[in-house]
Amino acid sequence: MTARLPPRNRQGNFFRVHEDLPVTLDARGRVRFTAMLYVPKGETSNDYKVQVNVRARGGKLSAQVVSMQQVR
């Protein structure tokens, strides 16, 4: 997910999935959730709506971030 951020926001940031908001998984393997990007010990954070596609190939799971939009 950090690769989708502007270069100035990549270093020192961490993502955390909001535990109080729903995480959904549909029959096609699309996972949707809201994640918070924050700097540890910092005062600012940004929320993002994220969609990840999950697939099983050869008995192994893989995931790909397909959408990440900042929540205003």
Side-chain angles (χ1 to χ4, degrees):
M1 290 173 61
T2 56
R4 292 181 169 255
L5 294 173
R8 69 186 187 309
N9 292 345
R10 290 182 191 165
Q11 296 295 327
N13 292 306
F14 291 89
F15 280 97
R16 181 175 185 184
V17 175
H18 277 282
E19 299 167 353
D20 56 335
L21 298 175
V23 175
T24 60
L25 171 64
D26 68 16
R28 292 186 172 176
R30 294 180 293 212
V31 180
R32 292 182 178 100
F33 57 91
T34 301
M36 175 177 52
L37 171 72
Y38 68 98
V39 177
K41 299 182 182 178
E43 294 185 19
T44 61
S45 66
N46 295 308
D47 289 338
Y48 291 87
K49 288 189 176 190
V50 181
Q51 179 180 328
V52 176
N53 287 350
V54 179
R55 296 181 187 172
R57 289 185 180 173
K60 295 183 180 182
L61 290 177
S62 66
Q64 178 183 13
V65 176
V66 293
S67 176
M68 190 171 114
Q69 297 177 328
Q70 186 172 2
V71 177
R72 303 269 175 202

